Amino acid sequence: WATHRAGVCIATSGPGATNLVTGIACAYMDSAPMVAITGQVARAVIGKDAFQETDITGITLPITKHNYLVTDINELARTVKEAFYIAQTGRPGPVLIDIPRDVQQEQTEFVYPDKIDLPGYKVPSRGHPAQIKKAAKLINEAERPVIIAGRGVIISRAYDEFKEFVEKAQIPVAHTLLGLSCFPGDHILDLGMLGMHGTPCANLAVQNADLIVAVGMRFDDRATGNVREFAPNARIIHIDIDPAEIGKNVPTEVPVVGDIKSVLTALNEEVERKEHVNWLSQIEQWRYEHPSQEIRQSDELLPQYVIQQIYEATQGDALVVTGVGQNQMFAARYFTYTKPNSLITAGGLGPMGFELPAA
């Protein structure tokens, strides 16, 4: 999560392998690169309910980008090379390599391939120029635009390109939970987190927008609520490297499939410099009416206050790791993320207890 390099875990067959399932599912939902290596019973007894046999490739098929059962020792080096490549490219995620016990005991000459040959695995990079022009036209014409930024901005490390886009087009930014820290939280155009536990200002802006620019996010139900009532008057531009996410939950008028950094670089050349004076004034009015950082007076030590004091003590120069639940929401709302990729938290799966091993 912190370095964008694949994490690695190793487990035995059977219960060791199944103990990895929650972590693999978490990495899959939150686009974290990971290679899981598991043991398997000997090839001769696979499928015969041998001691500690589990079909871990079958179990993890829906929660991995790809998985392998290595039945030939000569294929192992190539498999490892491919696994790391798949895990770390495009939309990152987990890949599993299952190795039977007798394969582990064999010997081979180690030859690590220089190149990857995966004709069926295409990684989108640049967005289609015509779609980028369509997106720019909608952005230039919009009067009440809002950006919803997700973890894709962080994965692409598109911090500079994204900030240039926001400031040039003067569009306020709402975040998904995993999009926090892709843009300075103390910036005048930052609205904070969107959705069920988000700020009133972010939610009001989205619901009253005439254009939503979704960047590297998947319109999760915690962000949208009832999709039929989500941003009812907004046209939607969706920029994402994973084409499967576009149109999955919310109808999209202009899809742009590609790497966020590359797409924003091209988009920044097409969008016009704008000043949405009336729209930003309305947003400031909502900030005033619904102060999201204000903490009620109390004789008790409130967790929101503790989170704010941690921010004051560190001035945002910290890597924050949270568990799941109220502590996660307090950290999302009351710590101001000014440093890129400074929040590590489990979003899609919500596994409690994430914070201690992650930290």
Side-chain angles (χ1 to χ4, degrees):
W1 284 65
T3 66
H4 303 287
R5 296 193 303 271
V8 181
C9 53
I10 302 176
T12 64
S13 65
T18 56
N19 278 342
L20 297 183
V21 169
T22 297
I24 292 171
C26 183
Y28 183 72
M29 293 190 76
D30 292 346
S31 305
M34 171 180 167
V35 174
I37 301 171
T38 55
Q40 185 54 272
V41 298
R43 286 170 290 184
V45 292
I46 288 177
K48 298 183 178 180
D49 292 332
F51 176 66
Q52 291 197 331
E53 179 188 0
T54 300
D55 179 13
I56 195 62
T57 55
I59 290 170
T60 60
L61 192 63
I63 55 169
T64 52
K65 282 188 74 176
H66 193 58
N67 59 32
Y68 296 87
L69 174 62
V70 181
T71 58
D72 183 349
I73 187 66
N74 298 308
E75 296 293 318
L76 185 57
R78 177 186 59 79
T79 298
V80 171
K81 177 87 171 183
E82 289 181 6
F84 276 88
Y85 177 74
I86 293 169
Q88 296 176 123
T89 53
R91 179 180 180 175
V95 177
L96 182 133
I97 305 173
D98 197 31
I99 312 174
R101 181 175 60 84
D102 55 330
V103 174
Q104 295 179 34
Q105 293 173 321
E106 292 181 341
Q107 292 189 353
T108 187
E109 183 180 351
F110 177 74
V111 179
Y112 205 52
D114 294 326
K115 297 180 179 179
I116 295 289
D117 182 24
L118 292 170
Y121 179 62
K122 304 293 184 184
V123 179
S125 54
R126 298 180 180 180
H128 195 286
Q131 294 301 98
I132 291 172
K133 287 184 182 296
K134 286 181 185 177
K137 185 175 186 295
L138 288 188
I139 292 165
N140 293 336
E141 293 172 351
E143 295 181 359
R144 302 185 308 279
V146 174
I147 295 167
I148 304 177
R151 180 164 162 76
V153 180
I154 295 171
I155 292 170
S156 184
R157 284 167 272 196
Y159 308 112
D160 293 339
E161 293 80 4
F162 185 67
K163 193 167 186 283
E164 180 186 344
F165 171 58
V166 171
E167 292 181 339
K168 184 177 182 182
Q170 286 289 289
I171 305 177
V173 181
H175 301 264
T176 65
L177 173 62
L178 296 185
L180 291 168
S181 78
C182 77
F183 184 74
D186 57 356
H187 196 286
I188 188 65
L189 291 171
D190 189 86
L191 302 175
M193 187 172 71
L194 168 73
M196 181 186 292
H197 299 284
T199 67
C201 188
N203 286 319
L204 284 165
V206 166
Q207 288 304 99
N208 288 275
D210 64 357
L211 178 70
I212 299 293
V213 185
V215 185
M217 57 87 68
R218 59 189 179 87
F219 290 104
D220 170 65
D221 63 291
R222 291 297 174 103
T224 64
N226 184 343
V227 292
R228 293 181 180 178
E229 299 175 5
F230 175 76
N233 302 311
R235 305 168 85 173
I236 293 179
I237 299 167
H238 193 173
I239 306 170
D240 205 286
I241 200 166
D242 185 356
E245 291 298 345
I246 294 178
K248 185 176 78 175
N249 295 326
V250 173
T252 299
E253 183 164 340
V254 180
V256 184
V257 178
D259 175 71
I260 301 297
K261 192 181 185 78
S262 173
V263 170
L264 289 179
T265 299
L267 192 58
N268 284 337
E269 296 179 2
E270 299 288 339
V271 296
E272 298 170 358
R273 198 168 294 279
K274 286 280 188 174
E275 291 183 4
H276 298 287
V277 176
N278 293 336
W279 178 228
L280 295 180
S281 296
Q282 175 62 77
I283 286 171
E284 284 305 308
Q285 180 65 27
W286 286 328
R287 282 192 214 269
Y288 175 76
E289 293 172 355
H290 307 281
S292 60
Q293 299 298 98
E294 196 171 281
I295 299 171
R296 65 180 173 84
Q297 295 295 316
S298 174
D299 294 331
E300 299 176 349
L301 189 61
L302 298 177
Q304 299 97 315
Y305 173 80
V306 174
I307 295 292
Q308 276 194 347
Q309 290 305 300
I310 292 171
Y311 169 72
E312 292 295 334
T314 62
Q315 286 301 297
D317 187 21
L319 185 57
V320 178
V321 184
T322 83
V324 174
Q326 284 290 73
N327 67 88
Q328 184 183 38
M329 296 301 104
F330 291 145
R333 287 283 299 272
Y334 296 97
F335 193 97
T336 304
Y337 296 94
T338 56
K339 182 180 176 182
N341 196 22
S342 53
L343 174 64
I344 295 180
T345 189
L349 195 66
M352 290 179 285
F354 174 87
E355 72 281 10
L356 184 60

